[in-house]
Amino acid sequence: QVQLVESGGGLVQAGDSLRLSCAASGRTFSSYAMAWFRQAPGKERDIVAAISQSGGITYYTNSVKGRFTISRDNAKDTVYLQMNSLKPEDTAVYYCAADRMFRTVTPAHWGQGTQVTVSS
């Protein structure tokens, strides 16, 4: 079992930046591929970005390419999502997720979520 705790959400203006963090505890962090999902009100939870166990492979959904960067520090058991040039449509609850499989849309472990609100 792995426990995930997100932090770093908040209220920002369009064009601002935020960095989300997800601290993991429990089983060996480096054995898990990690991902960030988001869910806006009335919409499904969708994958935003994913990173492989070593960090050598990443994935981004089209709408965030060039603006968001996912990274991980296996020594600190933490995964990050750097979000730049934020837009109102990025407003959502952001969830950290862990699974043995890279880029799965049904990860085994979830964090509790952190709210990101972007005002226009």
Side-chain angles (χ1 to χ4, degrees), residues 3-119:
Q3 292 78 43
L4 305 172
V5 178
E6 303 97 332
S7 61
L11 171 63
V12 297
Q13 294 186 331
D16 286 351
S17 297
L18 273 178
R19 188 176 82 155
L20 305 183
S21 299
C22 173
S25 61
R27 296 283 182 89
T28 305
F29 176 72
S30 60
S31 67
Y32 287 92
M34 301 297 296
W36 287 95
F37 288 72
R38 67 185 179 187
Q39 186 168 22
K43 296 189 176 181
E44 295 184 351
R45 188 177 301 188
D46 293 324
I47 191 168
V48 174
I51 189 165
S52 63
Q53 283 84 341
S54 68
I57 303 172
T58 57
Y59 161 83
Y60 298 95
T61 193
N62 285 338
S63 61
V64 307
K65 285 181 180 177
R67 300 189 299 122
F68 290 12
T69 302
I70 189 171
S71 61
R72 66 189 296 160
D73 186 339
N74 286 347
K76 295 183 178 179
D77 294 350
T78 302
V79 62
Y80 305 97
L81 185 67
Q82 178 67 42
M83 305 185 294
N84 298 330
S85 302
L86 282 161
K87 304 176 181 180
E89 51 264 44
D90 294 318
T91 295
V93 177
Y94 284 71
Y95 297 90
C96 174
D99 197 274
R100 304 288 186 181
M101 184 178 295
F102 172 68
R103 200 184 153 183
T104 176
V105 294
T106 56
H109 308 285
W110 293 93
Q112 83 287 352
T114 186
Q115 177 71 47
V116 172
T117 303
V118 184
S119 64

